[in-house]
Amino acid sequence: MCLALVIGNVVGSGVYLLPASLAPYGLNSIFGWLISAGGAIALAVVYARLANLFPKAGGPYVYARVAFGDQVGFLTAWGYWIGAWVGNAAIAIATVAYLAELIPWIKHTTGAPALASCVIIWVLTYVNWRGAREVGGVQIVTTVLKLLPLLAIIALGLWLLIEADASVIEAEPAPFSWPAINASAILTLWAFLGLESATVPARAVDNPERNVPLATLWGTLVTAAIYILTCSIVVLLLPGSQLASSSAPLADVIRMFWGDRLASTLALFAFISGFGALNGWILLQAEMPRVLANEGVFPKVFARESRHGTPGASLVITSLLLTTLV
């Protein structure tokens, strides 16, 4: 479940759009991926080691406080908490955008996207209120489903490589450029946000000094491999001009080889991807203030637990803030 939390929180809606954002940089983007993946893996090693040394809930807050004192610890936790629920508004809206492709009346009805976003937020808030095991179950199912189209594209690329069918490679030659690599590395590093996810709810994890480090490290490695392979294959198979203007580059690749019907189902997988990411991030947006409240840093109301042992008050307060933002 920890592994699904890490992969599920990192792989959201971004991977479906990143190839288009990276199109101007051509094959330089592959080097950008390698640099950002190397950095993310280095960070994951650090988090894994710290999680082994300090197997406590709160992750980044605990490590910053031990190393640099209470003030830096508080600022780290405050920034993380704000970033979590503000970012969740973006995830919710992006998720509903994919849902609207499946249910067109949502995008044609005034106020329906906002209403649908809020419904999803509170459904997942309820799942989180029920307990960590329920959250983990949803996370496992959504993570497996969201990886299916990405693995299909990877399998397609590997098959073409084995068949040595160079005629399908549409990537336009691009000169080696450090500025292009740097720009693509910045874009791709954003895609690794969330690799620390398993360290935040460590209190609810069995044997956290072992399972949290393993989930953090393996989750980052698996995600890096999937990202690099998927986006590199898309860059190779689509012409740069088409890729740059595409609103659904992964769907374009699937359409090219498997037709419109399968391509249209990608919206469903993109919705599942966003839904799963939001599920995991709602867990984190409530867990961090609970940790701070138990430390006497946040108001005690955030420490109140539901009958399921979950941070009930923190979930409701933070989801109200999230709903207001949406």
Side-chain angles (χ1 to χ4, degrees):
M1 288 183 177
C2 272
L3 183 63
L5 180 65
V6 174
I7 297 174
N9 278 16
V10 175
V11 181
S13 59
V15 68
Y16 290 88
L17 297 174
L18 262 177
S21 302
L22 295 170
Y25 310 114
L27 296 179
N28 287 296
S29 64
I30 297 175
F31 295 101
W33 271 116
L34 293 173
I35 291 171
S36 60
I41 291 167
L43 284 171
V45 171
V46 172
Y47 269 108
R49 180 62 177 148
L50 289 171
N52 179 260
L53 292 171
F54 308 102
K56 299 178 181 179
Y61 163 70
V62 174
Y63 313 147
R65 189 192 63 187
V66 169
F68 305 113
D70 291 343
Q71 186 177 22
V72 173
F74 169 77
L75 290 173
T76 300
W78 173 264
Y80 191 90
W81 178 58
I82 298 294
W85 63 265
V86 170
N88 280 348
I91 296 174
I93 292 167
T95 301
V96 169
Y98 289 117
L99 181 63
E101 295 299 319
L102 303 170
I103 309 175
W105 70 264
I106 291 178
K107 57 184 173 183
H108 298 307
T109 305
T110 302
L115 178 61
S117 298
C118 293
V119 168
I120 290 172
I121 287 166
W122 286 99
V123 166
L124 292 175
T125 299
Y126 173 72
V127 172
N128 275 265
W129 179 78
R130 286 296 305 271
R133 190 164 295 278
E134 283 73 13
V135 175
V138 171
Q139 204 68 358
I140 288 173
V141 172
T142 56
T143 298
V144 169
L145 291 176
K146 76 168 66 178
L147 293 181
L148 289 178
L150 307 182
L151 293 175
I153 290 175
I154 291 171
L156 171 66
L158 293 176
W159 177 75
L160 292 173
L161 182 65
I162 292 170
E163 292 292 310
D165 188 359
S167 64
V168 298
I169 295 178
E170 296 284 354
E172 295 157 3
F176 182 85
S177 167
W178 276 114
I181 292 172
N182 180 58
S184 58
I186 292 170
L187 284 171
T188 53
L189 183 60
W190 167 77
F192 287 100
L193 292 178
L195 62 88
E196 77 295 332
S197 295
T199 68
V200 177
R203 186 189 68 90
V205 178
D206 293 333
N207 195 7
E209 62 275 4
R210 176 184 179 276
N211 291 327
V212 170
L214 284 175
T216 300
L217 190 54
W218 281 105
T220 306
L221 287 168
V222 169
T223 303
I226 289 172
Y227 273 160
I228 292 170
L229 289 171
T230 302
C231 290
S232 298
I233 289 167
V234 172
V235 168
L236 288 172
L237 295 182
L238 291 180
S241 55
Q242 179 185 347
L243 187 58
S245 61
S246 175
S247 60
L250 271 65
D252 289 343
V253 171
I254 291 176
R255 183 177 293 108
M256 185 190 309
F257 291 93
W258 293 313
D260 288 335
R261 180 172 294 181
L262 275 178
S264 63
T265 64
L266 198 68
L268 173 61
F269 288 100
F271 165 74
I272 292 169
S273 184
F275 188 84
L278 188 60
N279 176 58
W281 279 104
I282 285 178
L283 170 68
L284 303 191
Q285 77 174 23
E287 190 64 36
M288 186 62 81
R290 193 239 299 260
V291 172
L292 295 175
N294 285 330
E295 295 280 339
V297 180
F298 256 35
K300 282 295 182 185
V301 65
F302 284 93
R304 291 181 185 172
E305 295 186 349
S306 69
R307 66 174 183 267
H308 302 287
T310 56
S314 183
L315 278 166
V316 170
I317 293 169
T318 309
S319 287
L320 282 172
L321 291 170
L322 171 55
T323 301
T324 303
L325 185 59
V326 168

